[in-house]
């Protein structure tokens, strides 16, 4: 049910504002990310019968609809090769929608479907005719068409060509638009990525292409720039003088589970490290942008990614998980080739060659079939130059930002142990979101990013030059892996990964405090009642 708070928030996010008539230093200062009130809006979900659309795209659209964030004049058109009726699509989508049953029925009523091939014009032309039939009833209104490609990248060239040639002949009017959302992976290396980018840009200009990386829609990622640049005390210490190392960790407790054939085409580096984790690194390491404009922000991300040297083989540990107990190994998956070289675990150490970060290793660690589910950033500071009584080296200050599970920001600080002696111990200053913001609604990543695309805000989408710089960091290593030139280790399912990774991390300067483990506040309370 749409609440009063939802309506007010939707008004702030969607309602157009009157821009300043004064001259400005840049056209970027005049960009408004708003949605015209009378917009005649159509979302076309290509690949509508697939798992991504069913589990992510349609549920995100429903959440936006139920909270009043989609234009009132709305149609959602599914397109796929599957021979389905409108009712068939509604029946496939409905089990994944959670919320008020009346709102679910209302939402399903705006869903339509068109079956057609991806490599021939017939289906696209029928979809265009359906959109035009509705839009012609609202000739005075601006038109908006958002094409969401919930499809594998291998069909992007033919699908985007089909859209451009058959579905873009529309007078959008003031505030109207045609935009295309594409999903990762964007190629397999620098060359294939550029080839795909060239094809897309030959059909659509960059301001119409929204390359989605769903990690950029997560709450803690969206919070990163505010936290970094709105807290002045962080500025003087955010550099190599005070920071020893930065660790970004991505852990999944499950293996490929029957999807090994798909995963094996990419491996863990292409799957999460070159995209999600490098985006996290960019937001941590970038300089303050000139403004909040999307391109000003992405300019700074590009600069810092371009400053990263390509990964060296000696700064890498790769492995595949092996069977342990009742859990199968990677090669036990029948869909995985027996001679597979795709790593399911990787630790890579990156080095940024600029004045702020010279000498600070950025350690990226990712793996499947590990001992826990966790994505976090761990910024470890240098110890004091001189200690009062004993070595504080094992008691390092750390700023930890946990993206999942249990979103949190906590600062590990050294305090005196309560009691008679002055023994220093590790404690924390803790902001656990579910404890502090008990009433807050935190949108899912796809929900945020689809709304950004509707509003025309590209700051959380990957620009072409940003993508190119990211692939340049990892492509030499990926080619060496594909050629079998990098040692591939093994680790048991359900463990922390290969011990060699811990050696590399330690060698890179990370100091582990073995006596300390953070717990969410709800697990530490010794009293009943509200937290003060």
């Amino acid at each position: 049910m749409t609440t009063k708070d939802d309506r007010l928030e939707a008004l702030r996010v969607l309602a157009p504002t009157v821009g300043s008539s004064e001259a400005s230093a840049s056209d970027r200062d005049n960009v408004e990310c708003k949605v015209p009130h009378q917009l005649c809006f159509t979302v076309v979900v290509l690949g509508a019968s697939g798992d991504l659309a069913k589990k992510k795209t349609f549920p995100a659209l429903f959440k936006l609809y139920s909270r009043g964030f989609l234009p009132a004049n709305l149609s959602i058109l599914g397109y796929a090769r599957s021979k389905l009726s409108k009712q068939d699509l509604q029946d496939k989508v409905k089990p994944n929608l959670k919320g008020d049953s009346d709102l679910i029925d209302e939402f399903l009523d705006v869903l339509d479907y068109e079956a057609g091939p991806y490599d021939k014009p017939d289906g696209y032309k029928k979809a265009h005719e359906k959109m035009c039939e509705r839009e012609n009833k609202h000739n005075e209104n601006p038109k908006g068409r958002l094409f969401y490609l919930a499809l594998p990248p291998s069909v992007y060239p033919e699908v985007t060509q089909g859209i451009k040639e058959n579905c873009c002949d529309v007078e959008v009017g003031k505030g109207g638009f045609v935009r295309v959302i594409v999903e990762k992976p964007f190629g397999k290396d620098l060359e294939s990525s550029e080839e795909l980018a060239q094809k897309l840009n030959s059909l659509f200009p960059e301001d119409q292409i929204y390359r989605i990386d769903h990690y950029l829609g997560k709450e803690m990622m969206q919070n990163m720039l505010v936290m970094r640049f709105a807290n002045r005390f962080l500025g003087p210490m955010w550099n190599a003088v005070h920071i020893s190392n930065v660790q970004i960790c991505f852990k999944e407790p499950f293996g490929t589970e029957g999807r090994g054939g798909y995963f094996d085409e990419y491996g863990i580096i292409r799957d999460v490290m070159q995209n999600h984790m490098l985006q996290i690194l960019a937001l941590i390491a970038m300089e303050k942008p000139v403004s909040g404009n999307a391109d000003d922000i992405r300019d700074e991300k590009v600069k810092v990614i371009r400053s990263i040297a390509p990964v060296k083989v000696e700064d890498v540990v790769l492995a595949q998980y092996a069977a342990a107990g009742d859990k199968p190994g990677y090669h036990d998956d029948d869909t995985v080739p027996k001679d597979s070289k795709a790593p399911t675990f990787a630790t890579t150490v990156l080095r940024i060659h600029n004045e702020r970060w010279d000498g600070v290793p950025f350690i990226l660690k990712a793996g499947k079939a590990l001992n826990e589910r966790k994505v976090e950033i761990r910024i470890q500071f240098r110890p004091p130059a001189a200690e009062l009584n004993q070595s504080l080296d094992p008691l390092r200050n750390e700023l930890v930002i946990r993206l999942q599970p249990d979103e949190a920001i906590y600062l590990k600080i050294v305090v005196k142990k309560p009691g008679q002696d002055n023994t220093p111990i590790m404690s924390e200053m803790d902001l656990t979101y579910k404890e502090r913001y008990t009433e807050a609604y935190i949108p899912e990543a796809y929900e945020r990013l689809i709304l950004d695309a509707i509003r025309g805000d590209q700051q959380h989408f990957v620009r072409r030059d940003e993508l190119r710089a990211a692939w340049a960091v990892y492509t030499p290593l990926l080619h060496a892996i594909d050629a079998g030139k990098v040692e591939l280790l093994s680790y048991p399912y359900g463990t922390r990964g290969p011990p060699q990774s811990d050696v590399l991390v330690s060698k890179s300067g990370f100091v582990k405090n073995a006596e300390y483990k953070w717990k969410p506040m709800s697990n530490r309370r010794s009293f009943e009642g509200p937290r003060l």
Side-chain angles (χ1 to χ4, degrees):
M1 190 68 67
T2 306
T3 66
K4 181 179 178 181
D5 287 344
D6 287 337
R7 290 193 295 271
L8 291 173
E9 187 178 358
L11 186 63
R12 287 195 300 271
V13 171
L14 298 176
T17 57
V18 179
S20 171
S21 59
E22 297 180 4
S24 60
S26 168
D27 289 341
R28 292 182 180 184
D29 296 334
N30 302 320
V31 173
E32 288 187 340
C33 299
K34 301 292 181 182
V35 179
H37 178 62
Q38 298 297 328
L39 183 72
C40 181
F41 181 52
T42 306
V43 184
V44 183
V45 181
L46 297 109
S49 61
D51 276 354
L52 176 61
K54 182 173 65 175
K55 295 177 180 178
K56 296 294 184 182
T57 314
F58 286 118
L61 287 167
F62 171 67
K63 276 293 187 182
L64 291 170
Y65 177 85
S66 66
R67 299 183 64 230
F69 280 83
L70 294 182
N73 190 345
L74 170 70
S75 174
I76 300 174
L77 177 62
Y79 184 96
R81 290 176 295 201
S82 304
K83 301 296 184 183
L84 302 176
S85 66
K86 175 180 176 178
Q87 186 62 51
D88 291 335
L89 177 65
Q90 293 172 343
D91 291 342
K92 285 175 72 73
V93 169
K94 187 172 183 177
N96 292 281
L97 307 182
K98 310 299 178 188
D100 181 85
S101 58
D102 290 338
L103 276 173
I104 290 174
D105 290 340
E106 283 181 24
F107 175 77
L108 293 174
D109 281 344
V110 304
L111 261 63
D112 201 353
Y113 185 76
E114 185 65 50
Y118 294 132
D119 57 350
K120 295 182 176 63
D122 300 354
Y124 298 109
K125 288 180 178 178
K126 290 179 182 177
H128 178 63
E129 289 169 5
K130 279 190 175 182
M131 288 186 277
C132 288
E133 183 180 353
R134 190 175 76 90
E135 291 166 347
N136 289 340
K137 298 174 184 176
H138 306 279
N139 277 329
E140 302 303 314
N141 295 17
K143 317 296 189 298
R145 293 185 180 183
L146 179 65
F147 296 89
Y148 193 116
L149 274 61
L151 293 164
S154 58
V155 299
Y156 285 176
E158 60 199 51
V159 171
T160 49
Q161 185 165 344
I163 293 169
K164 181 66 176 180
E165 292 178 352
N166 302 286
C167 297
C168 292
D169 184 16
V170 55
E171 291 291 333
V172 297
K174 184 177 180 181
F177 55 83
V178 173
R179 294 173 185 145
V180 179
I181 298 177
V182 293
E183 283 270 358
K184 78 167 188 72
F186 311 113
K188 291 186 176 181
D189 58 12
L190 180 56
E191 183 180 0
S192 60
S193 174
E194 276 295 287
E195 184 179 339
L196 178 59
Q198 181 62 38
K199 176 63 177 178
L200 294 183
N201 283 128
S202 71
L203 298 168
F204 295 95
E206 190 67 22
D207 64 0
Q208 288 184 286
I209 299 173
Y210 288 68
R211 297 177 188 85
I212 196 168
D213 182 329
H214 75 272
Y215 259 71
L216 289 172
K218 288 185 175 292
E219 177 68 24
M220 303 309 289
M221 292 288 282
Q222 302 251 320
N223 186 43
M224 191 72 69
L225 295 189
V226 176
M227 187 196 74
R228 275 200 59 194
F229 300 119
N231 294 290
R232 186 164 182 169
F233 76 93
L234 288 176
M237 65 178 69
W238 210 263
N239 53 53
V241 175
H242 298 285
I243 292 175
S244 168
N245 59 84
V246 178
Q247 190 171 173
I248 304 169
C249 183
F250 180 102
K251 301 173 77 173
E252 290 182 334
F254 49 83
T256 53
E257 299 183 347
R259 296 181 68 250
Y262 170 81
F263 179 85
D264 200 75
E265 290 185 45
Y266 298 96
I268 198 71
I269 295 176
R270 291 183 174 99
D271 192 37
V272 300
M273 196 167 277
Q274 177 273 337
N275 37 69
H276 301 331
M277 300 181 77
L278 212 50
Q279 287 293 321
I280 295 173
L281 181 152
L283 290 172
I284 295 168
M286 64 183 271
E287 298 297 323
K288 185 176 182 179
V290 173
S291 77
N293 174 275
D295 280 320
D296 285 338
I297 292 169
R298 295 189 295 180
D299 284 350
E300 297 304 331
K301 288 167 66 181
V302 171
K303 287 178 188 176
V304 77
I305 296 172
R306 287 183 61 198
S307 299
I308 302 172
V311 190
K312 297 179 180 178
V313 171
E314 58 265 32
D315 286 332
V316 174
V317 171
L318 304 177
Q320 293 176 335
Y321 65 88
D326 61 346
K327 296 295 186 180
Y330 182 60
H331 285 275
D332 295 326
D333 187 329
D334 292 337
T335 63
V336 173
K338 297 307 177 187
D339 60 348
S340 167
K341 301 180 181 69
T344 63
F345 176 97
T347 298
T348 64
V349 181
L350 306 184
R351 304 182 192 279
I352 301 174
H353 293 291
N354 64 19
E355 189 171 354
R356 180 182 293 273
W357 297 112
D358 187 42
V360 177
F362 281 73
I363 305 160
L364 277 58
K365 182 166 66 174
K368 303 183 79 68
L370 298 177
N371 60 328
E372 61 181 329
R373 172 178 175 260
K374 181 173 72 174
V375 179
E376 71 177 19
I377 305 156
R378 189 171 293 271
I379 299 164
Q380 188 169 83
F381 292 86
R382 300 186 187 278
E387 295 84 14
L388 292 175
N389 48 13
Q390 68 178 63
S391 173
L392 295 178
D393 195 56
L395 301 178
R396 294 286 189 97
N397 296 130
E398 289 181 354
L399 179 62
V400 182
I401 304 165
R402 178 170 288 217
L403 280 71
Q404 65 182 38
D406 299 321
E407 294 99 334
I409 303 170
Y410 62 95
L411 178 64
K412 291 169 62 174
I413 60 172
V414 180
V415 299
K416 185 187 84 67
K417 182 178 181 180
Q420 295 289 0
D421 62 25
N422 289 320
T423 304
I425 61 170
M426 188 61 73
S427 188
E428 74 286 310
M429 299 175 67
D430 183 359
L431 169 59
T432 301
Y433 268 52
K434 68 180 182 182
E435 296 285 336
R436 178 64 179 83
Y437 303 113
T438 55
E439 303 299 323
Y441 173 74
I442 298 179
E444 291 290 331
Y446 280 93
E447 188 180 337
R448 289 182 191 273
L449 295 174
I450 290 173
L451 180 59
D452 282 346
I454 296 169
R455 295 173 60 241
D457 186 352
Q458 290 187 299
Q459 70 168 293
H460 299 120
F461 295 85
V462 182
R463 203 168 64 188
R464 179 178 175 177
D465 55 345
E466 190 179 349
L467 184 64
R468 180 176 181 175
W471 275 118
V473 173
Y474 278 107
T475 289
L477 172 64
L478 290 168
H479 286 174
I481 294 170
D482 294 342
K485 295 179 180 178
V486 185
E487 183 181 9
L488 197 57
L489 305 171
S490 179
Y491 63 98
Y493 194 120
T495 61
R496 297 182 65 251
Q500 291 88 337
S501 171
D502 291 335
V503 173
L504 177 61
V505 170
S506 178
K507 178 183 170 185
S508 301
F510 177 73
V511 176
K512 181 175 176 58
N513 176 18
E515 297 179 358
Y516 176 88
K517 185 173 182 180
W518 174 81
K519 295 179 181 178
M521 279 299 301
S522 56
N523 295 344
R524 285 186 263 144
R525 283 193 186 166
S526 58
F527 62 92
E528 296 295 332
R531 181 181 178 185
L532 299 179

